[in-house]
Amino acid sequence: MRVLVTGGAGFIGSNLAKRLAKDGHDVVAADSFLSAHFLNLVDFPGDVLTLRDHEDVQSMIDLGRFDAIFHEASITGVVGANGENFNDQQRMMRNNVETFRQLLDWSVETKAQMIWASSCSIYGRGAVPMKESQAPDPLNIYAFSKLTMERMAARYAPRLAKPIVGLRYSNVYGPGEDHKGKLASMIHQLAKQMRAGKRPRIFTAGEQKRDFVYIDDVVDVNLKAMKSKTSGAFNAGAGAAWSFNQVVAELNRVLKTDLQPDYFTNPYSFTQDWTQTDLSAAKAAFGYAPQYDLAKGIDAYHASGKLGISFA
Ligand SMILES: NC(=O)c1ccc[n+]([C@@H]2O[C@H](COP(=O)([O-])OP(=O)(O)OC[C@H]3O[C@@H](n4cnc5c(N)ncnc54)[C@H](O)[C@@H]3O)[C@@H](O)[C@H]2O)c1
């Protein structure tokens, strides 16, 4: 198949592009390189398309028809890699929603299949385990942009040749995320502190729980989603939750350290105490079943040689 991966030099996009190329597909990784890192694509043999800016959809259209598009490109949070404020509503909506609209129009025209990255941030303060059927509660403009994209995808679905699947990722971790800085997973950020001999800094008393999903499961859920017979937005997490204290214990195990958490008071007015995905819908629709629990994921990350390691 001829496949396009947007955000292809980013964390998830580059891992996906490499896997698709390994599986024998003709892959184009498209990225603006404004917040990505070339090191993610050093071992990618396919074509790399560099976009003029985040709103440059035309360069992708100019390459001709693709059988499938994996749309991973996005501003990925309300803080930038260096802590800068990305809480600019217009910029977020233009970048995330309006580029998606153009990609969807193009998909209708060319009958391309669309699999795209949504987010569990849509659930906000919602009940746990989080189910697709519950009311959305977006707490920032990033989450609202993803919700708007989901609603747009639903409106386009009847006009598309193939089912359109949005994947609500939870907290993804694994090799290729270092360029994300403050947006990288807490697993990577804590491992960095510990490799530097520092005690890992986490909110008091470390019992907040997160659905941490390993990158290989995220790549796998994208491949499985291509077989979906129904359009929709589906949870794509680990289906389980682990506390930050457990993360620190696993990191001490693989890094062979004995660093106790350095607890500090959460400065934010709102953070979720517990996130966990219910995966029954993704399982029923296309057989998604994650293979990595926290220990196995951290083992694999450590074995990659990239856990807690900074890009050059
Ligand atoms: N990593 C996570 O934990 C997580 C969780 C939920 C959802 N997501 C979603 O998954 C997707 C991939 O995230 P990631 O973690 O790989 O982040 P990332 O920042 O590494 O990747 C995003 C990439 O998109 C590029 N980009 C941004 N806007 C673009 C545009 N309009 N056109 C082309 N390229 C553009 C950036 O340069 C970057 O390479 C995003 O849509 C994100 O919202 C990620």
Side-chain angles (χ1 to χ4, degrees):
M1 287 201 322
R2 186 160 190 255
V3 182
L4 175 68
V5 181
T6 75
F11 168 37
I12 297 170
S14 62
N15 278 286
L16 184 57
K18 286 186 273 195
R19 171 64 193 275
L20 288 161
K22 201 168 148 207
D23 289 352
H25 299 292
D26 176 9
V27 187
V28 177
D31 207 294
S32 62
F33 284 88
L34 290 171
S35 54
H37 206 290
F38 75 91
L39 281 179
N40 282 335
L41 290 178
V42 170
D43 47 355
F44 169 66
D47 193 7
V48 177
L49 172 70
T50 305
L51 306 173
R52 278 187 295 275
D53 53 47
H54 278 167
E55 292 182 28
D56 176 17
V57 176
Q58 193 57 44
S59 297
M60 295 188 267
I61 294 176
D62 288 345
L63 288 187
R65 181 182 184 271
F66 289 88
D67 299 297
I69 301 169
F70 291 88
H71 181 47
E72 305 299 316
S74 165
I75 299 180
T76 57
V78 290
V79 285
N82 301 309
E84 60 272 44
N85 184 1
F86 273 7
N87 212 358
D88 175 336
Q89 299 187 56
Q90 191 198 28
R91 183 175 168 207
M92 185 76 74
M93 296 300 282
R94 293 285 314 169
N95 189 125
N96 291 1
V97 183
E98 295 312 319
T99 52
F100 191 46
R101 191 191 307 273
Q102 293 175 61
L103 286 173
L104 288 173
D105 283 334
W106 183 39
S107 303
V108 169
E109 202 181 301
T110 58
K111 299 190 172 13
Q113 181 172 17
M114 170 70 76
I115 311 289
W116 66 280
S118 186
S119 167
C120 281
S121 61
I122 281 179
Y123 292 113
R125 297 187 189 86
V128 180
M130 304 165 316
K131 291 192 173 73
E132 291 86 344
S133 54
Q134 75 197 49
D137 180 27
L139 298 172
N140 59 35
I141 188 64
Y142 167 70
F144 178 72
S145 74
K146 294 288 184 183
L147 177 62
T148 307
M149 290 168 76
E150 287 195 0
R151 289 172 173 162
M152 186 184 287
R155 280 196 301 275
Y156 271 81
R159 290 197 281 139
L160 288 160
K162 298 257 176 65
I164 175 167
V165 174
L167 295 167
R168 292 182 176 177
Y169 304 145
S170 56
N171 293 79
V172 191
Y173 66 104
E177 60 170 321
D178 189 61
H179 65 282
K180 295 183 67 179
K182 289 190 187 318
L183 285 176
S185 72
M186 282 308 295
I187 292 177
H188 183 59
Q189 295 192 51
L190 293 170
K192 265 192 181 180
Q193 294 168 20
M194 294 166 76
R195 279 192 186 275
K198 294 182 195 145
R199 288 172 58 197
R201 282 180 54 79
I202 56 179
F203 297 153
T204 309
E207 285 306 313
Q208 285 193 339
K209 286 196 266 174
R210 291 284 175 275
D211 182 307
F212 291 111
V213 61
Y214 190 59
I215 184 66
D216 287 15
D217 279 329
V218 169
V219 169
D220 180 59
V221 75
N222 274 277
L223 302 183
K224 289 213 161 70
M226 294 183 74
K227 307 213 160 56
S228 181
K229 300 239 179 319
T230 40
S231 293
F234 298 87
N235 286 342
W242 295 274
S243 71
F244 287 97
N245 285 331
Q246 283 173 294
V247 170
V248 170
E250 293 297 341
L251 290 175
N252 270 319
R253 177 177 64 78
V254 296
L255 298 175
K256 298 190 173 29
T257 49
D258 186 18
L259 293 158
Q260 295 315 304
D262 177 10
Y263 296 117
F264 69 106
T265 308
N266 179 358
Y268 303 106
S269 55
F270 169 74
T271 47
Q272 290 150 299
D273 282 334
W274 178 19
T275 64
Q276 185 170 334
T277 49
D278 177 300
L279 298 178
S280 34
K283 189 173 178 200
F286 41 84
Y288 172 55
Q291 301 298 306
Y292 289 81
D293 62 13
L294 183 72
K296 190 175 166 194
I298 287 183
D299 277 340
Y301 199 169
H302 185 240
S304 77
K306 295 186 176 155
L307 172 65
I309 302 288
S310 300
F311 280 163

